[in-house]
Amino acid sequence: MVTTELIPVESLSRRDRASLDRRYLPMAKVVPGFEWDAVAPYVIAIDRLKAERNAVIIAHNYQAPEIFHGVADLVGDSLAMAYMAAETEASVVVVAGVHFMAETAKLINPDKTVLIPDLEAGCSLAESITGADVRLLRERYPDTPVVTYVNTSAEVKAHSDITCTSSNAVEVVESLGVPRVIFLPDEYLGQYVAENTEVEIILWRGHCMVHERFTPDEIRRFRAAYDGDIQVLAHPECPPEVLAEADFVGSTSGMVKRVDVERPPRVLLVTECSMAANVSVNFPDVEFVRPCQMCPYMGTITLPKIYESLRDMKYEITVPPDMAAPARRAVERMLEVGRGKGG
Ligand code: 13P
Ligand code: SF4
């Protein structure tokens, strides 16, 4: 029997209330008190369910602060999430992120139960390509290896030689030791890789619906508004003309490292905007300017849905065995290449 009750804040034990206060204090600047009070019963219920189910919550940097700082056991970028999934001892992994992240966790952990709190948590990049598209590309460019961004379905991964993330894309491409690769599905990440390697890159025209919205003019306006006194860090899923305006290009974890090392007084994170809220909690001395582009898919994950996920053990990720084996090989091959310089 698992404990499923939601206890109103005023009826919580002193210990539970102290635990809520400890978590809330650092994020008070980014989560209004009334919002935290509304979700506090879920936070305590999730704590209990995690212990009873031997579960961990792995959260992406784009998750809402009350998830990221409130209940997640492990947080990071897509690559870090894959390593965390590979290393955890827990029997249940709840992925606070999008579907491809949960599928990757399942590929690496076939014997664990992997849950995603909302099946609608998709990704515009993952939707831009199918396994049949990859087969056609292979016919068109025989003997050319396929490097696939993790932001894809297991079916697409199964037709690929190796996966990559924005942290290690250049290293993965170069690890193959070939003059030419097919890189999919993110055209802009592919163009960024092409600029940083001698390997010829054949592109696919998938885009992230969040990062493609940024424009160079917008970045220039932010610089002008702060008299140039701002560091611009951009994600490589942005269009090349946006990256050309940036001081640094890297994965979400790469941006966090950059802030940690350089401690600029003011930064603009050209990426999904929940990330700036999450990171600002850990760097109170840095001002984060937030161009607000939200990912609607990441935003489908909420504390009540995480609670229901652990309560009802839903929604369980499964991958058909014939697809899982080649997709797993492609992911494991990436993990062997390592973390790269981009993150
Ligand atoms: P990273 O966190 O790996 O940089 O990926 C960004 C992203 O868009 C994930 O959906
Ligand atoms: Fe996909 Fe872009 Fe959302 Fe990431 S931010 S999940 S790449 S749509």
Side-chain angles (χ1 to χ4, degrees):
M1 259 289 274
V2 292
T3 320
T4 57
E5 63 182 327
L6 284 170
I7 305 169
V9 180
E10 52 284 4
S11 309
L12 286 173
S13 68
R14 269 220 289 208
R15 201 163 138 253
D16 282 343
R17 274 203 248 182
S19 149
L20 282 172
D21 289 346
R22 255 196 320 278
R23 272 177 272 193
Y24 181 61
L25 210 61
M27 60 172 141
K29 268 200 229 150
V30 292
V31 178
F34 68 89
E35 275 183 23
W36 180 246
D37 289 345
V39 294
Y42 291 100
V43 173
I44 295 301
I46 290 168
D47 282 353
R48 292 218 174 89
L49 284 166
K50 271 199 296 194
E52 288 169 6
R53 302 268 194 214
N54 185 24
V56 285
I57 299 176
I58 298 182
H60 186 261
N61 290 328
Y62 295 161
Q63 288 293 293
E66 63 273 18
I67 296 173
F68 189 92
H69 291 288
V71 297
D73 300 285
L74 303 160
V75 295
D77 67 0
S78 311
L79 184 62
M81 289 174 83
Y83 277 110
M84 289 165 196
E87 285 156 14
T88 180
E89 298 286 321
S91 353
V92 177
V93 178
V94 180
V95 175
V98 292
H99 195 269
F100 75 79
M101 293 170 176
E103 231 176 27
T104 306
K106 181 65 185 177
L107 290 173
I108 302 168
N109 284 301
D111 299 330
K112 291 192 198 294
T113 302
V114 177
L115 304 175
I116 184 142
D118 190 331
L119 285 170
E120 297 297 311
C123 168
S124 64
L125 274 168
E127 280 158 25
S128 73
I129 190 157
T130 64
D133 293 326
V134 188
R135 276 203 307 273
L136 286 174
L137 277 167
R138 280 198 181 276
E139 278 168 27
R140 192 154 164 212
Y141 301 100
D143 303 323
T144 308
V146 175
V147 178
T148 293
Y149 196 25
V150 279
N151 300 34
T152 44
S153 65
E155 189 206 7
V156 167
K157 290 184 177 79
H159 289 286
S160 309
D161 293 277
I162 188 166
T163 64
C164 72
T165 73
S166 48
S167 284
N168 62 9
V170 175
E171 287 78 5
V172 165
V173 164
E174 295 190 338
S175 75
L176 299 175
V178 293
R180 180 169 86 160
V181 302
I182 300 166
F183 187 95
L184 40 95
D186 188 349
E187 181 183 23
Y188 298 146
L189 177 62
Q191 285 173 340
Y192 172 74
V193 173
E195 272 181 25
N196 287 281
T197 180
E198 298 291 306
V199 179
E200 183 193 342
I201 308 287
I202 296 162
L203 296 165
W204 184 257
R205 295 195 172 217
H207 297 143
C208 161
M209 60 179 289
V210 177
H211 291 92
E212 73 175 346
R213 287 191 213 127
F214 294 106
T215 65
D217 274 353
E218 189 183 0
I219 312 300
R220 284 194 285 265
R221 277 198 298 271
F222 274 112
R223 274 206 204 276
Y226 292 98
D227 288 333
D229 186 15
I230 188 164
Q231 270 221 20
V232 178
L233 318 187
H235 195 278
E237 288 172 13
C238 295
E241 57 278 16
V242 171
L243 299 186
E245 297 291 331
D247 300 302
F248 171 84
V249 177
S251 74
T252 55
S253 293
M255 293 184 203
V256 177
K257 275 191 205 142
R258 172 84 176 197
V259 172
D260 193 17
V261 171
E262 301 245 327
R263 298 290 169 132
R266 188 178 292 124
V267 291
L268 175 71
L269 297 186
V270 189
T271 191
E272 211 272 353
C273 72
S274 302
M275 158 119 177
N278 290 331
V279 184
S280 68
V281 169
N282 298 334
F283 298 99
D285 49 334
V286 178
E287 182 188 345
F288 287 82
V289 178
R290 295 167 66 180
C292 213
Q293 298 286 4
M294 303 278 301
C295 174
Y297 300 111
M298 289 280 177
T300 63
I301 309 297
T302 60
L303 283 172
K305 285 184 196 168
I306 293 174
Y307 160 73
E308 283 164 20
S309 176
L310 276 165
R311 183 191 65 189
D312 305 339
M313 298 297 279
K314 65 182 187 187
Y315 296 93
E316 188 168 353
I317 301 288
T318 55
V319 184
D322 55 331
M323 195 186 281
R328 182 176 310 121
R329 264 199 302 282
V331 174
E332 285 177 348
R333 211 171 156 192
M334 166 186 78
L335 297 180
E336 281 158 24
V337 172
R339 297 185 192 252
K341 292 194 202 100

